[in-house]
Amino acid sequence: MTRVLLLPRLNELGVMRIIDDVGSEMPTVKEVLDILDEHSSFLWFAPSGGSVSAESAVDIARDIRQIAQRHGFPESSDQKSRSAFDAEVSTWLGDQEILSTGEALRDDVWAFLSSALLADVVSWRFPDRNLERFQGGVRNAFQRLWIRGVTLDLGPDAADRWQLVHGLSEDAMVQIFERASLAGDRKLARTIASAWMVTSGRIGRGRMEEVMRAATKMVRLRNEIIDLGELEQSVLTREIEKIFFRVAGVTDDLPASLPLATADS
């Protein structure tokens, strides 16, 4: 049984206090921790259910910072380096046993990592420093990457375990993971991602933003009529690919792709 390590949590008032106090500059870790020293009531741990481990949060932050440094932090940042950073952090977070417990489901855990230990990295990744990138939730700088990693992970035995994480565009990720009805069903989310890959291979990535937005609307509507997540994988794959092909104007009738081989399929 996995030992649950309880990570530090930061409430919404703490996040807003840090952002207000550091102003428009990229904050250092020391500046942020000095603020929290004066306002310790913003910080807390779950009172039960495991062992308190602030050190684990420091370790996670250290490794994410090293990934950021490999992609230009803090000196440079362009779209290509930011995309590469997102993909590497997604795969790294998705493979961390410490984040396989309920702690990773807590918004305030991610708020602490983003606002206290990695505020400078978040400011580098998102120069506009929007509050939602520091607060917990689906748009948090790292929580969104963790969700992508654990959802799109094809398993350690897959020939290309992280092909979906590396293959999808940012727009495709947003279309899936900012819609609870799609992201909340891992099997459905992964099948949509696979259909995006198959369709982009047929028509090119340039048209996929328009196709993805139309297809996800149709999938959500279809999911209101029948529970797509309950379909057998090969049937679901065919159903989703038919929607993508119809939207993309692909008229030939090729056999459906083989379902992705995953650890839990």
Side-chain angles (χ1 to χ4, degrees), residues 109-136:
V109 165
W110 295 102
F112 176 79
L113 284 168
S114 304
S115 304
L117 299 183
L118 291 166
D120 51 346
V121 176
V122 176
S123 297
W124 165 80
R125 173 59 184 84
F126 295 101
D128 60 355
R129 303 182 68 243
N130 194 303
L131 183 62
E132 63 189 355
R133 303 302 183 182
F134 297 88
Q135 290 178 326

Side-chain angles (χ1 to χ4, degrees), residues 24-38:
S24 59
E25 300 298 321
M26 182 183 289
T28 66
V29 175
K30 182 179 184 307
E31 287 172 335
V32 173
L33 294 181
D34 285 345
I35 293 171
L36 293 178
D37 276 345
E38 296 179 17

Side-chain angles (χ1 to χ4, degrees), residues 210-220 240 243-244 247:
E210 173 190 357
V211 169
M212 182 65 172
R213 296 186 179 210
T216 51
K217 288 179 182 177
M218 294 182 67
V219 170
R220 293 166 67 191
I240 300 301
I243 291 174
F244 272 79
V247 171

Side-chain angles (χ1 to χ4, degrees), residues 79-240:
Q79 185 59 49
K80 184 176 180 181
S81 63
R82 290 194 291 268
S83 295
F85 169 77
D86 281 359
E88 186 171 353
V89 173
S90 290
T91 60
W92 186 83
L93 289 173
D95 196 32
Q96 297 306 302
E97 185 176 351
I98 188 176
L99 296 175
S100 64
T101 71
E103 286 292 273
L105 299 174
R106 300 290 306 198
D107 289 353
D108 41 12
V109 165
W110 295 102
F112 176 79
L113 284 168
S114 304
S115 304
L117 299 183
L118 291 166
D120 51 346
V121 176
V122 176
S123 297
W124 165 80
R125 173 59 184 84
F126 295 101
D128 60 355
R129 303 182 68 243
N130 194 303
L131 183 62
E132 63 189 355
R133 303 302 183 182
F134 297 88
Q135 290 178 326
V138 296
R139 306 205 74 191
N140 173 274
F142 307 115
Q143 189 171 0
R144 74 193 228 290
L145 301 181
W146 170 75
I147 294 171
R148 294 176 187 183
V150 297
T151 303
L152 301 181
D153 180 7
L154 299 181
D157 296 330
D160 189 355
R161 178 177 180 179
W162 303 108
Q163 61 175 291
L164 298 178
V165 172
H166 290 291
L168 265 66
S169 68
E170 178 63 21
D171 177 76
M173 293 286 193
V174 169
Q175 294 303 314
I176 295 172
F177 290 101
E178 294 194 7
R179 286 162 176 76
S181 62
L182 306 182
D185 185 324
R186 185 182 180 198
K187 179 174 145 186
L188 177 58
R190 206 162 45 201
T191 305
I192 293 171
S194 175
W196 188 97
M197 296 277 284
V198 171
T199 308
S200 68
R202 301 288 300 279
I203 68 171
R205 295 173 67 94
R207 289 184 53 206
M208 285 307 297
E209 184 170 325
E210 173 190 357
V211 169
M212 182 65 172
R213 296 186 179 210
T216 51
K217 288 179 182 177
M218 294 182 67
V219 170
R220 293 166 67 191
L221 179 60
R222 186 71 174 146
N223 203 30
E224 292 291 326
I225 300 171
I226 61 171
D227 187 349
L228 292 172
E230 291 298 315
L231 296 178
E232 193 272 326
Q233 181 64 68
S234 62
V235 177
L236 177 61
T237 298
R238 184 58 174 165
E239 185 80 17
I240 300 301

